[in-house]
Amino acid sequence: MIKDNDTSGGCSGGELVVVTEEDDSKLKLKLYSYYRSSCSWRVRIALNLKGLKYEYKAVNLLKGDQFSQEFTKLNPIGYVPVLTDDEQDIVISDSFAILLYLEDKYPQHPLLPQDLQKKAINLQAANIVSSSIQPLQNLAVLKYIEEKVSSAEKLTWVQYHIGKGFAALEKLLEGCCGKYATGNEVFLADLFLAPQIDAAITRFSLDMTQYPLLSRLHNAYMELPAFQAAVPERQPDYVKP
Ligand SMILES: N[C@@H](CCC(=O)N[C@@H](CS)C(=O)NCC(=O)O)C(=O)O
């Protein structure tokens, strides 16, 4: 079942904010998350960048917590992440909707640039990850392929679809990439890319030599405290594979 966990810290301006147990009871934002979920990971980065403290509610996808009555009341499709904001009595599921909500409510550290071309590229890159890569490697899809076809086919499938998306991202970002995806500041595209690139490397053994730009971004993200604090290993529900 969904477990209350120690609160993870938020981080702003590179400094980690440690949330004490006393603070927990007052936290207005709750994130239903699974440590390895790339969709939850995007939101964790945003919360950290914006310096927002939140309560971490662990949903164990491998145990099927996402199908429990308690959870499907929050998100009928049974996916993490879900964010609840007690201040407004609001429940939001879907990482994109959550990120846009956070952006509207907490303008500090904007996730979208003013420049219209860069803004469009951020949205396009985020959508390549969230619509054209992640749904094809979702737990339910991979389980289905493994059961109906084979484990070997599962890996071929996932590597093909991640590779196709990564090839497009390399081309899309070629002209505008700086230290990060669209220049020298972190924006929305980076929040989608960091977990996706990490999953490609650590979970799906993708040969990253074909994607030099994305490989460079991956190293850059790993130096940022807001990104470091969002990695699976730093979450309260992390389990060593
Ligand atoms: N479009 C949704 C997708 C959510 C999603 O696919 N979540 C995955 C984890 S990253 C999940 O909960 N999978 C559970 C399952 O497949 O049963 C979002 O961006 O939040």
Side-chain angles (χ1 to χ4, degrees):
M1 280 297 110
I2 299 163
K3 257 181 26 187
D4 277 358
N5 269 297
D6 290 340
T7 311
S8 84
C11 127
S12 78
E15 287 299 311
L16 265 183
V17 178
V18 178
V19 181
T20 65
E21 271 183 34
E22 196 193 355
D23 289 326
D24 274 15
S25 57
K26 298 180 206 136
L27 292 173
K28 301 277 185 279
L29 296 175
K30 294 184 179 59
L31 181 69
Y32 292 77
S33 166
Y34 178 57
Y35 72 95
R36 208 177 63 175
S37 146
S38 61
C39 307
S40 308
W41 189 339
R42 297 164 193 161
V43 176
R44 298 196 298 255
I45 300 171
L47 289 162
N48 293 347
L49 283 171
K50 287 180 178 290
L52 299 168
K53 296 171 183 173
Y54 62 96
E55 188 181 336
Y56 191 105
K57 306 279 266 184
V59 181
N60 189 325
L61 299 185
L62 294 184
K63 287 195 181 150
D65 287 358
Q66 70 274 35
F67 306 120
S68 70
Q69 247 189 0
E70 190 187 351
F71 187 74
T72 50
K73 261 192 227 153
L74 297 172
N75 188 7
I77 198 164
Y79 290 149
V80 288
V82 171
L83 183 88
T84 61
D85 182 350
D86 293 352
E87 200 171 74
Q88 319 266 344
D89 206 10
I90 279 181
V91 178
I92 315 161
S93 28
D94 195 284
S95 60
F96 227 119
I98 296 171
L99 293 169
L100 294 179
Y101 175 77
L102 293 175
E103 182 70 347
D104 285 340
K105 188 165 175 195
Y106 306 99
Q108 66 269 30
H109 199 298
L111 299 178
L112 286 166
Q114 290 292 316
D115 180 273
L116 292 183
Q117 168 81 75
K118 270 192 188 174
K119 184 175 176 180
I121 292 176
N122 269 278
L123 292 169
Q124 194 182 341
N127 268 313
I128 289 177
V129 174
S130 75
S131 305
S132 305
I133 302 180
Q134 187 275 332
L136 299 166
Q137 54 139 81
N138 198 7
L139 184 65
V141 172
L142 297 188
K143 205 166 160 240
Y144 186 90
I145 296 173
E146 191 161 37
E147 281 170 11
K148 302 278 176 193
V149 192
S150 66
S151 292
E153 189 52 36
K154 180 181 88 172
L155 193 63
T156 310
W157 163 276
V158 81
Q159 288 180 341
Y160 171 77
H161 287 289
I162 298 178
K164 185 177 170 198
F166 278 10
L169 285 163
E170 287 269 325
K171 284 193 189 136
L172 176 71
L173 301 177
E174 211 171 27
C176 64
C177 193
K179 191 160 182 202
Y180 308 113
T182 56
N184 291 327
E185 284 174 86
V186 166
F187 286 119
L188 192 77
D190 301 299
L191 277 55
F192 283 76
L193 288 171
Q196 185 59 65
I197 300 170
D198 197 80
I201 297 170
T202 60
R203 290 174 56 200
F204 304 121
S205 314
L206 192 74
D207 173 11
M208 288 298 292
T209 54
Q210 300 167 71
Y211 314 108
L213 186 152
L214 297 182
S215 301
R216 185 172 61 68
L217 289 177
H218 183 245
N219 293 335
Y221 298 144
M222 290 305 130
E223 288 174 13
L224 300 173
F227 284 65
Q228 289 165 352
V231 300
E233 296 77 3
R234 301 268 299 268
Q235 307 316 306
D237 56 339
Y238 173 71
V239 180
K240 220 173 166 183

